[in-house]
Amino acid sequence: MARWLTNLVLLFVACGGVSACNDPARSEDIAAPNSVPFGPIERCINLSNGLEAPTEGDWGYSVRAQDILAISDAGFDTVRLPVKVSGYTGPGPNYVISQNLLARLDTIISLSLAADLNIILDVHHFDEIYTDPETEIPRLKAIWRQLSQHYAGAPAAVIFEVLNEPRDGLTIQRMDALNREILALIRETNPERWVILSSSEWGNLSAWVEADFPREQYVISTFHFYEPYSFTHQGANWLEAPPIYEGVWGDTATEIADVRGAFATARLRAESEGIPVLVGEFGAHRSNTMAERVDWLRTVRTASEDAGFGWCHWGFAAEFGAYDLLEEAWRSEVLMALGVSPKLGDP
Protein backbone atom coordinates (compact mmCIF):
# COMPACT_ATOMS: atom_id res chain seq x y z
CA MET A 1 0.00 0.00 0.00
CA ALA A 2 2.86 2.34 0.75
CA ARG A 3 4.16 2.11 -2.81
CA TRP A 4 0.75 2.97 -4.22
CA LEU A 5 0.39 5.99 -1.95
CA THR A 6 3.85 7.17 -2.94
CA ASN A 7 2.97 6.93 -6.63
CA LEU A 8 -0.30 8.74 -6.02
CA VAL A 9 1.47 11.63 -4.31
CA LEU A 10 3.90 11.89 -7.21
CA LEU A 11 0.97 11.89 -9.66
CA PHE A 12 -0.79 14.74 -7.86
CA VAL A 13 2.42 16.74 -7.81
CA ALA A 14 2.84 16.19 -11.55
CA CYS A 15 -0.75 17.31 -12.14
CA GLY A 16 -0.33 20.39 -10.01
CA GLY A 17 -2.82 19.31 -7.37
CA VAL A 18 -5.81 17.03 -6.95
CA SER A 19 -8.28 19.33 -8.71
CA ALA A 20 -6.05 19.52 -11.78
CA CYS A 21 -5.96 15.73 -12.17
CA ASN A 22 -9.62 15.70 -13.32
CA ASP A 23 -11.22 12.41 -12.34
CA PRO A 24 -12.48 11.06 -15.70
CA ALA A 25 -14.61 8.39 -14.05
CA ARG A 26 -17.32 10.79 -12.87
CA SER A 27 -20.42 9.39 -14.56
CA GLU A 28 -22.31 12.68 -14.48
CA ASP A 29 -19.89 14.12 -17.06
CA ILE A 30 -20.97 11.60 -19.74
CA ALA A 31 -24.22 11.97 -21.62
CA ALA A 32 -26.11 8.98 -23.05
CA PRO A 33 -28.57 9.31 -25.95
CA ASN A 34 -31.32 7.34 -24.19
CA SER A 35 -32.37 5.99 -20.80
CA VAL A 36 -29.58 3.42 -20.45
CA PRO A 37 -27.87 4.32 -17.14
CA PHE A 38 -24.64 6.25 -17.37
CA GLY A 39 -21.30 4.54 -16.92
CA PRO A 40 -17.84 6.08 -16.59
CA ILE A 41 -16.49 4.76 -19.91
CA GLU A 42 -17.25 6.16 -23.34
CA ARG A 43 -14.29 5.45 -25.67
CA CYS A 44 -11.80 2.80 -24.61
CA ILE A 45 -8.97 0.75 -26.09
CA ASN A 46 -7.41 -2.47 -24.82
CA LEU A 47 -3.68 -2.63 -24.10
CA SER A 48 -3.75 -6.02 -25.78
CA ASN A 49 -1.01 -8.69 -25.93
CA GLY A 50 0.94 -7.09 -23.06
CA LEU A 51 0.38 -8.23 -19.50
CA GLU A 52 -2.07 -10.99 -20.40
CA ALA A 53 0.83 -12.91 -21.94
CA PRO A 54 2.60 -15.44 -19.66
CA THR A 55 5.30 -12.78 -19.25
CA GLU A 56 4.97 -9.21 -20.52
CA GLY A 57 6.65 -9.00 -23.92
CA ASP A 58 6.22 -12.69 -24.82
CA TRP A 59 3.62 -11.77 -27.43
CA GLY A 60 5.55 -8.92 -29.00
CA TYR A 61 4.28 -6.02 -26.93
CA SER A 62 5.14 -4.32 -23.65
CA VAL A 63 3.16 -1.34 -22.38
CA ARG A 64 5.06 1.92 -22.89
CA ALA A 65 4.51 5.38 -21.47
CA GLN A 66 4.43 6.81 -25.00
CA ASP A 67 1.56 4.48 -25.90
CA ILE A 68 -0.59 5.71 -23.04
CA LEU A 69 0.06 9.32 -24.01
CA ALA A 70 -0.78 8.55 -27.66
CA ILE A 71 -4.06 6.92 -26.58
CA SER A 72 -5.03 9.96 -24.54
CA ASP A 73 -4.07 12.34 -27.33
CA ALA A 74 -6.16 10.35 -29.82
CA GLY A 75 -9.32 11.05 -27.86
CA PHE A 76 -9.90 7.85 -25.90
CA ASP A 77 -10.99 8.29 -22.28
CA THR A 78 -10.15 4.82 -20.95
CA VAL A 79 -7.61 2.02 -21.31
CA ARG A 80 -8.38 -1.58 -20.41
CA LEU A 81 -5.38 -3.43 -19.01
CA PRO A 82 -5.74 -7.23 -19.38
CA VAL A 83 -3.48 -8.96 -16.84
CA LYS A 84 -2.81 -12.66 -16.25
CA VAL A 85 -2.74 -12.11 -12.49
CA SER A 86 -3.20 -15.83 -11.84
CA GLY A 87 0.26 -16.43 -13.32
CA TYR A 88 1.86 -14.22 -10.66
CA THR A 89 0.44 -15.77 -7.49
CA GLY A 90 2.12 -17.98 -4.89
CA PRO A 91 0.64 -21.20 -3.53
CA GLY A 92 -2.61 -21.45 -1.62
CA PRO A 93 -4.26 -20.73 0.63
CA ASN A 94 -2.99 -17.13 0.47
CA TYR A 95 -2.06 -16.98 -3.24
CA VAL A 96 0.16 -13.94 -2.64
CA ILE A 97 0.52 -11.74 -5.73
CA SER A 98 4.07 -10.99 -6.85
CA GLN A 99 5.34 -7.62 -5.61
CA ASN A 100 6.99 -7.15 -9.01
CA LEU A 101 3.61 -7.41 -10.72
CA LEU A 102 2.02 -4.97 -8.26
CA ALA A 103 4.84 -2.52 -8.89
CA ARG A 104 4.33 -2.82 -12.65
CA LEU A 105 0.59 -2.28 -12.29
CA ASP A 106 1.21 0.76 -10.09
CA THR A 107 3.42 2.26 -12.79
CA ILE A 108 0.93 1.72 -15.63
CA ILE A 109 -1.98 2.96 -13.54
CA SER A 110 -0.09 6.09 -12.51
CA LEU A 111 0.84 6.81 -16.13
CA SER A 112 -2.79 6.41 -17.19
CA LEU A 113 -4.11 8.68 -14.47
CA ALA A 114 -1.52 11.31 -15.34
CA ALA A 115 -2.74 11.12 -18.96
CA ASP A 116 -6.34 11.80 -17.75
CA LEU A 117 -7.49 8.29 -18.56
CA ASN A 118 -9.66 5.83 -16.70
CA ILE A 119 -7.93 2.46 -16.41
CA ILE A 120 -9.67 -0.91 -16.15
CA LEU A 121 -7.72 -3.55 -14.23
CA ASP A 122 -8.92 -6.80 -15.82
CA VAL A 123 -8.15 -10.33 -14.54
CA HIS A 124 -7.47 -12.04 -17.86
CA HIS A 125 -6.56 -15.55 -19.10
CA PHE A 126 -7.24 -17.28 -15.79
CA ASP A 127 -7.63 -20.50 -17.76
CA GLU A 128 -7.66 -22.92 -14.82
CA ILE A 129 -10.80 -21.43 -13.29
CA TYR A 130 -12.86 -22.16 -16.39
CA THR A 131 -12.31 -25.92 -16.23
CA ASP A 132 -12.04 -26.37 -12.46
CA PRO A 133 -13.94 -23.51 -10.84
CA GLU A 134 -14.40 -25.05 -7.39
CA THR A 135 -10.65 -25.53 -6.97
CA GLU A 136 -9.70 -22.14 -8.42
CA ILE A 137 -12.40 -19.80 -7.05
CA PRO A 138 -10.45 -19.43 -3.77
CA ARG A 139 -7.51 -18.11 -5.81
CA LEU A 140 -9.73 -15.58 -7.61
CA LYS A 141 -11.09 -14.40 -4.28
CA ALA A 142 -7.56 -14.08 -2.89
CA ILE A 143 -6.54 -12.08 -5.97
CA TRP A 144 -9.40 -9.62 -5.55
CA ARG A 145 -8.92 -9.37 -1.80
CA GLN A 146 -5.32 -8.29 -2.39
CA LEU A 147 -6.03 -5.98 -5.34
CA SER A 148 -8.92 -4.37 -3.46
CA GLN A 149 -6.74 -3.67 -0.44
CA HIS A 150 -3.82 -2.45 -2.57
CA TYR A 151 -5.94 0.04 -4.51
CA ALA A 152 -8.40 1.02 -1.79
CA GLY A 153 -7.02 4.57 -1.80
CA ALA A 154 -6.80 4.93 -5.59
CA PRO A 155 -8.85 7.51 -7.53
CA ALA A 156 -12.24 6.50 -8.90
CA ALA A 157 -10.71 6.36 -12.38
CA VAL A 158 -9.22 2.97 -11.42
CA ILE A 159 -11.91 0.45 -12.36
CA PHE A 160 -11.98 -3.26 -11.52
CA GLU A 161 -13.06 -6.03 -13.91
CA VAL A 162 -13.63 -9.29 -12.04
CA LEU A 163 -12.93 -11.89 -14.74
CA ASN A 164 -12.47 -11.90 -18.50
CA GLU A 165 -14.60 -14.17 -20.69
CA PRO A 166 -15.89 -16.81 -18.21
CA ARG A 167 -16.90 -20.12 -19.80
CA ASP A 168 -17.12 -23.91 -19.45
CA GLY A 169 -17.60 -24.75 -15.75
CA LEU A 170 -18.45 -21.13 -15.00
CA THR A 171 -22.02 -21.35 -16.26
CA ILE A 172 -24.38 -18.39 -16.30
CA GLN A 173 -25.85 -19.39 -12.95
CA ARG A 174 -22.43 -19.98 -11.39
CA MET A 175 -21.21 -16.61 -12.63
CA ASP A 176 -24.29 -14.89 -11.21
CA ALA A 177 -23.34 -16.24 -7.78
CA LEU A 178 -19.60 -15.65 -8.20
CA ASN A 179 -20.12 -12.05 -9.32
CA ARG A 180 -22.00 -11.34 -6.10
CA GLU A 181 -19.37 -13.08 -3.98
CA ILE A 182 -16.47 -11.15 -5.48
CA LEU A 183 -18.40 -7.87 -5.49
CA ALA A 184 -19.13 -8.24 -1.77
CA LEU A 185 -15.45 -8.86 -1.14
CA ILE A 186 -14.44 -5.76 -3.12
CA ARG A 187 -17.03 -3.61 -1.34
CA GLU A 188 -15.36 -4.29 2.02
CA THR A 189 -12.55 -1.90 1.03
CA ASN A 190 -13.90 -0.16 -2.08
CA PRO A 191 -17.57 0.75 -1.43
CA GLU A 192 -17.74 3.24 -4.34
CA ARG A 193 -15.34 1.65 -6.84
CA TRP A 194 -16.73 0.98 -10.33
CA VAL A 195 -16.71 -2.79 -10.91
CA ILE A 196 -17.27 -4.52 -14.26
CA LEU A 197 -19.03 -7.90 -14.31
CA SER A 198 -19.27 -10.41 -17.15
CA SER A 199 -21.22 -13.61 -17.68
CA SER A 200 -20.50 -17.01 -19.23
CA GLU A 201 -20.01 -18.29 -22.81
CA TRP A 202 -16.81 -16.29 -23.37
CA GLY A 203 -18.57 -13.14 -22.21
CA ASN A 204 -20.79 -13.13 -25.29
CA LEU A 205 -24.10 -11.34 -25.71
CA SER A 206 -25.97 -14.67 -25.59
CA ALA A 207 -25.05 -15.11 -21.92
CA TRP A 208 -25.33 -11.42 -21.05
CA VAL A 209 -29.02 -11.34 -21.95
CA GLU A 210 -29.72 -14.21 -19.51
CA ALA A 211 -27.40 -13.19 -16.66
CA ASP A 212 -28.70 -11.76 -13.40
CA PHE A 213 -26.36 -8.86 -12.65
CA PRO A 214 -26.50 -7.07 -9.26
CA ARG A 215 -28.62 -3.92 -9.46
CA GLU A 216 -26.46 -1.65 -7.38
CA GLN A 217 -24.59 1.60 -7.88
CA TYR A 218 -21.09 1.50 -9.37
CA VAL A 219 -21.64 -1.78 -11.21
CA ILE A 220 -21.23 -2.13 -14.99
CA SER A 221 -22.19 -5.21 -16.99
CA THR A 222 -20.10 -6.15 -20.00
CA PHE A 223 -20.20 -8.34 -23.08
CA HIS A 224 -17.78 -8.87 -25.96
CA PHE A 225 -18.83 -8.66 -29.60
CA TYR A 226 -17.00 -10.47 -32.42
CA GLU A 227 -19.90 -11.40 -34.71
CA PRO A 228 -19.71 -12.85 -37.25
CA TYR A 229 -16.77 -14.80 -35.79
CA SER A 230 -15.82 -16.18 -39.19
CA PHE A 231 -15.15 -12.61 -40.29
CA THR A 232 -13.54 -11.07 -37.21
CA HIS A 233 -11.19 -14.03 -36.66
CA GLN A 234 -10.45 -14.85 -40.28
CA GLY A 235 -6.71 -15.49 -40.52
CA ALA A 236 -6.12 -15.52 -36.76
CA ASN A 237 -2.84 -17.46 -36.68
CA TRP A 238 -3.15 -18.64 -33.06
CA LEU A 239 -6.21 -20.74 -33.94
CA GLU A 240 -5.73 -24.33 -35.07
CA ALA A 241 -8.24 -23.84 -37.88
CA PRO A 242 -8.80 -20.12 -38.59
CA PRO A 243 -12.28 -19.55 -40.04
CA ILE A 244 -12.90 -18.35 -43.56
CA TYR A 245 -15.57 -15.75 -44.28
CA GLU A 246 -17.39 -16.16 -47.56
CA GLY A 247 -17.97 -12.90 -49.40
CA VAL A 248 -17.22 -9.29 -48.45
CA TRP A 249 -18.55 -8.11 -45.10
CA GLY A 250 -20.92 -5.18 -45.42
CA ASP A 251 -21.90 -5.87 -49.00
CA THR A 252 -25.45 -6.67 -47.94
CA ALA A 253 -27.86 -4.74 -45.76
CA THR A 254 -28.56 -7.94 -43.83
CA GLU A 255 -25.06 -8.07 -42.35
CA ILE A 256 -25.32 -4.54 -41.00
CA ALA A 257 -28.91 -5.11 -39.83
CA ASP A 258 -27.82 -8.20 -37.88
CA VAL A 259 -25.30 -6.15 -35.89
CA ARG A 260 -27.66 -3.29 -35.23
CA GLY A 261 -30.45 -5.69 -34.29
CA ALA A 262 -28.26 -7.39 -31.70
CA PHE A 263 -27.44 -4.06 -30.07
CA ALA A 264 -31.05 -2.91 -30.20
CA THR A 265 -32.04 -6.04 -28.27
CA ALA A 266 -29.30 -5.41 -25.73
CA ARG A 267 -30.42 -1.80 -25.35
CA LEU A 268 -33.97 -2.88 -24.49
CA ARG A 269 -32.69 -5.06 -21.67
CA ALA A 270 -30.30 -2.38 -20.40
CA GLU A 271 -33.11 0.18 -20.31
CA SER A 272 -35.66 -2.08 -18.67
CA GLU A 273 -33.34 -3.43 -15.99
CA GLY A 274 -31.20 -0.36 -15.35
CA ILE A 275 -27.86 -1.89 -16.35
CA PRO A 276 -24.92 0.32 -17.41
CA VAL A 277 -23.14 -1.53 -20.22
CA LEU A 278 -19.62 -1.72 -21.62
CA VAL A 279 -18.82 -3.51 -24.87
CA GLY A 280 -15.52 -4.64 -23.42
CA GLU A 281 -13.99 -6.03 -26.61
CA PHE A 282 -14.71 -5.77 -30.32
CA GLY A 283 -12.32 -5.90 -33.24
CA ALA A 284 -11.47 -7.52 -36.56
CA HIS A 285 -8.25 -9.31 -37.51
CA ARG A 286 -5.85 -7.53 -39.82
CA SER A 287 -6.04 -10.35 -42.41
CA ASN A 288 -9.34 -8.83 -43.55
CA THR A 289 -9.20 -5.96 -46.00
CA MET A 290 -8.96 -2.54 -44.40
CA ALA A 291 -12.19 -1.48 -46.09
CA GLU A 292 -14.09 -4.38 -44.52
CA ARG A 293 -12.51 -3.80 -41.12
CA VAL A 294 -13.47 -0.14 -41.26
CA ASP A 295 -17.07 -0.93 -42.23
CA TRP A 296 -17.43 -3.52 -39.47
CA LEU A 297 -15.78 -1.37 -36.78
CA ARG A 298 -17.86 1.66 -37.67
CA THR A 299 -21.06 -0.40 -37.64
CA VAL A 300 -20.35 -1.92 -34.21
CA ARG A 301 -19.10 1.32 -32.72
CA THR A 302 -22.10 3.37 -33.85
CA ALA A 303 -24.53 0.62 -32.82
CA SER A 304 -22.93 0.65 -29.37
CA GLU A 305 -23.12 4.43 -29.09
CA ASP A 306 -26.71 4.52 -30.32
CA ALA A 307 -27.59 2.01 -27.60
CA GLY A 308 -25.96 4.20 -24.95
CA PHE A 309 -23.13 1.72 -24.28
CA GLY A 310 -19.48 2.49 -23.68
CA TRP A 311 -17.08 0.56 -25.89
CA CYS A 312 -13.50 -0.75 -25.78
CA HIS A 313 -11.72 -1.66 -29.00
CA TRP A 314 -9.47 -4.72 -29.12
CA GLY A 315 -6.90 -3.48 -29.27
CA PHE A 316 -3.98 -1.08 -29.33
CA ALA A 317 -1.33 -3.24 -31.01
CA ALA A 318 -0.89 -6.77 -32.45
CA GLU A 319 -3.19 -8.56 -34.92
CA PHE A 320 -6.31 -6.50 -34.21
CA GLY A 321 -4.39 -3.31 -33.52
CA ALA A 322 -5.24 0.29 -34.23
CA TYR A 323 -1.56 1.17 -33.87
CA ASP A 324 1.33 -0.05 -36.06
CA LEU A 325 4.37 -0.74 -33.85
CA LEU A 326 6.71 -1.10 -36.83
CA GLU A 327 5.74 2.28 -38.26
CA GLU A 328 5.16 3.84 -34.82
CA ALA A 329 1.94 5.34 -36.13
CA TRP A 330 -1.81 4.99 -35.79
CA ARG A 331 -3.70 3.21 -38.53
CA SER A 332 -5.71 6.26 -39.46
CA GLU A 333 -8.54 4.29 -41.10
CA VAL A 334 -9.15 2.37 -37.87
CA LEU A 335 -9.23 5.55 -35.82
CA MET A 336 -11.69 7.10 -38.26
CA ALA A 337 -13.93 4.04 -37.92
CA LEU A 338 -13.74 4.48 -34.13
CA GLY A 339 -14.64 8.16 -34.41
CA VAL A 340 -11.44 9.44 -32.79
CA SER A 341 -8.38 11.20 -34.16
CA PRO A 342 -4.98 12.22 -32.77
CA LYS A 343 -4.17 15.83 -32.07
CA LEU A 344 -2.07 17.54 -34.72
CA GLY A 345 1.60 16.78 -34.27
CA ASP A 346 1.02 13.61 -32.21
CA PRO A 347 1.64 10.03 -33.42
Side-chain angles (χ1 to χ4, degrees):
M1 191 60 163
R3 182 187 298 112
W4 169 252
L5 290 175
T6 299
N7 286 344
L8 191 57
V9 169
L10 292 175
L11 168 64
F12 286 166
V13 170
C15 290
V18 176
S19 62
C21 283
N22 289 337
D23 178 5
R26 291 177 299 169
S27 61
E28 65 267 25
D29 290 343
I30 298 173
N34 52 47
S35 58
V36 173
F38 296 155
I41 302 155
E42 190 173 1
R43 301 175 303 277
C44 169
I45 195 164
N46 282 271
L47 291 169
S48 48
N49 283 41
L51 271 74
E52 82 268 27
T55 301
E56 185 180 8
D58 282 356
W59 294 347
Y61 176 66
S62 295
V63 179
R64 306 174 298 179
Q66 68 196 63
D67 301 334
I68 293 172
L69 290 174
I71 288 167
S72 178
D73 287 340
F76 295 95
D77 58 52
T78 306
V79 290
R80 181 173 181 255
L81 181 64
V83 187
K84 189 177 174 63
V85 184
S86 59
Y88 293 84
T89 61
N94 295 326
Y95 300 104
V96 176
I97 299 173
S98 160
Q99 289 299 309
N100 289 336
L101 176 66
L102 290 176
R104 180 64 173 139
L105 297 181
D106 288 350
T107 296
I108 296 172
I109 287 172
S110 294
L111 289 168
S112 300
L113 295 175
D116 203 30
L117 292 167
N118 299 318
I119 178 165
I120 301 167
L121 181 55
D122 158 49
V123 172
H124 207 93
H125 285 327
F126 190 172
D127 300 320
E128 300 88 344
I129 200 171
Y130 309 137
T131 55
D132 190 4
E134 297 313 313
T135 298
E136 295 297 336
I137 282 173
R139 179 154 50 143
L140 182 65
K141 290 182 177 179
I143 284 170
W144 278 113
R145 186 173 293 108
Q146 293 172 76
L147 292 175
S148 297
Q149 292 170 351
H150 189 73
Y151 292 111
V158 179
I159 299 167
F160 294 162
E161 182 170 349
V162 167
L163 185 64
N164 179 71
E165 295 186 348
R167 53 191 181 270
D168 301 333
L170 289 176
T171 63
I172 295 173
Q173 293 75 22
R174 189 66 189 92
M175 276 308 302
D176 287 346
L178 183 58
N179 279 335
R180 284 171 167 78
E181 293 168 20
I182 300 294
L183 184 62
L185 187 156
I186 292 171
R187 290 292 180 242
E188 293 175 5
T189 50
N190 294 260
E192 296 183 350
R193 174 83 51 208
W194 283 101
V195 179
I196 299 172
L197 303 176
S198 182
S199 189
S200 190
E201 300 173 11
W202 296 80
N204 285 335
L205 184 57
S206 57
W208 180 88
V209 298
E210 296 184 28
D212 181 17
F213 294 105
R215 309 298 194 272
E216 69 169 68
Q217 197 173 14
Y218 305 113
V219 167
I220 306 164
S221 66
T222 188
F223 64 85
H224 294 176
F225 193 84
Y226 289 105
E227 297 299 329
Y229 182 83
S230 60
F231 169 73
T232 62
H233 284 68
Q234 183 169 238
N237 54 17
W238 66 89
L239 298 175
E240 290 185 6
I244 298 174
Y245 188 75
E246 300 293 340
V248 176
W249 194 90
D251 261 7
T252 69
T254 300
E255 292 168 314
I256 296 173
D258 286 346
V259 172
R260 297 196 66 82
F263 277 82
T265 299
R267 170 182 168 172
L268 289 175
R269 185 186 187 219
E271 289 181 321
S272 65
E273 301 196 20
I275 307 173
V277 181
L278 172 68
V279 183
E281 291 183 18
F282 71 104
H285 194 271
R286 66 186 179 190
S287 63
N288 291 291
T289 67
M290 182 57 76
E292 288 176 279
R293 286 180 70 192
V294 165
D295 285 347
W296 186 87
L297 288 170
R298 183 184 295 111
T299 299
V300 176
R301 189 260 301 174
T302 56
S304 180
E305 291 174 348
D306 289 347
F309 302 163
W311 52 260
C312 200
H313 175 251
W314 186 276
F316 177 71
E319 288 87 351
F320 287 71
Y323 190 87
D324 188 328
L325 291 173
L326 294 177
E327 298 293 331
E328 290 291 357
W330 288 105
R331 294 184 171 95
S332 58
E333 300 97 330
V334 173
L335 286 192
M336 289 178 62
L338 296 175
V340 297
S341 60
K343 298 174 184 175
L344 291 176
D346 290 325

